[in-house]
Amino acid sequence: MTTRLTLIQGDITEQDVDAVVNAANSSLLGGGGVDGAIHRRGGPEILAACRALRASHYGKGLATGQAVATTAGRLPARHVIHTVGPRWSPAEDRSELLASCYRESLRIAAELDARTVAFPAISTGIYGWPLDDGARIAVETVRGAVRAGVEEVRFVVFDERGRVAFAAYLD
Ligand code: AR6
């Protein structure tokens, strides 16, 4: 079975998929951008689940490049997979950490038997990663890491710039 890679311009919180990936930070306790939108729209159940993770296995928070799942609360999705992208650095190549976010999130999606997974353009907002490079890493990594059972990986971009950046690698 082949995994379809699709592209949608819109709001990731509105996606009717099995799992939505959150561009979180290591605290797991919320923030701006995608993270803020997911917690606002998903409601307090997600934050409660994140607090429980911090109180158990993730006392020091979630490391960059790793991923962990919680309930999706009131979102249309069933699961939120929180992953921590690297901040862009002009001095250091952190591409492998960004690729790891996509790989680890897909691994967890497969563990959850998710057939449809929506990804934002991790690190390309508040964390400052150049959009074009972020799109390239996203698409190349997902192509190389498709998992049995995952039928669709949907890249959800906020604006036209994002759409153009991802379309260049998906065509
Ligand atoms: N739906 C789809 N894409 C969105 C949405 C949305 N609702 N909102 C923003 N984007 P960002 P990061 C796009 O900043 O760079 C938070 O404070 C946005 O245009 O959400 O990984 C966390 O807590 C950009 O292209 O994530 C962390 O501290 C992309 O999603 C930090 O920000 C990612 O932007 C993570 O920063």
Side-chain angles (χ1 to χ4, degrees):
M1 190 196 64
T2 54
T3 305
R4 278 183 302 133
L5 273 55
T6 59
L7 176 61
I8 281 193
Q9 187 177 338
D11 186 336
I12 195 149
T13 65
E14 292 173 6
Q15 304 304 309
D16 190 1
V17 287
D18 294 323
V20 163
V21 176
N22 181 18
N25 61 66
S26 65
S27 80
L28 292 174
L29 301 179
V34 168
D35 198 9
I38 283 177
H39 281 283
R40 254 193 321 276
R41 198 168 170 131
E45 234 191 301
I46 301 176
L47 186 58
C50 287
R51 285 193 200 285
L53 286 171
R54 286 299 305 274
S56 56
H57 295 310
Y58 297 93
K60 291 182 181 157
L62 183 65
T64 304
Q66 300 297 300
V68 66
T70 66
T71 172
R74 297 197 285 258
L75 295 180
R78 287 195 290 130
H79 311 279
V80 172
I81 298 172
H82 307 264
T83 190
V84 183
R87 287 176 195 273
W88 165 255
S89 162
E92 187 184 36
D93 182 7
R94 299 176 178 167
S95 305
E96 190 44 43
L97 286 169
L98 183 54
S100 174
C101 290
Y102 289 95
R103 269 198 303 271
E104 286 300 301
S105 297
L106 274 177
R107 184 178 64 76
I108 288 179
E111 270 176 25
L112 295 166
D113 291 325
R115 287 191 297 186
T116 51
V117 184
F119 276 100
I122 300 165
S123 288
T124 66
I126 292 165
Y127 280 178
W129 204 284
L131 185 58
D132 179 75
D133 197 53
R136 180 187 61 79
I137 291 169
V139 173
E140 285 178 358
T141 307
V142 167
R143 277 215 177 100
V146 288
R147 293 268 170 175
V150 179
E151 293 168 7
E152 180 188 358
V153 172
R154 187 181 302 173
F155 296 106
V156 182
V157 294
F158 220 27
D159 53 21
E160 177 66 11
R161 260 182 76 233
R163 200 188 57 71
V164 169
F166 274 77
Y169 295 100
L170 285 166
D171 289 345

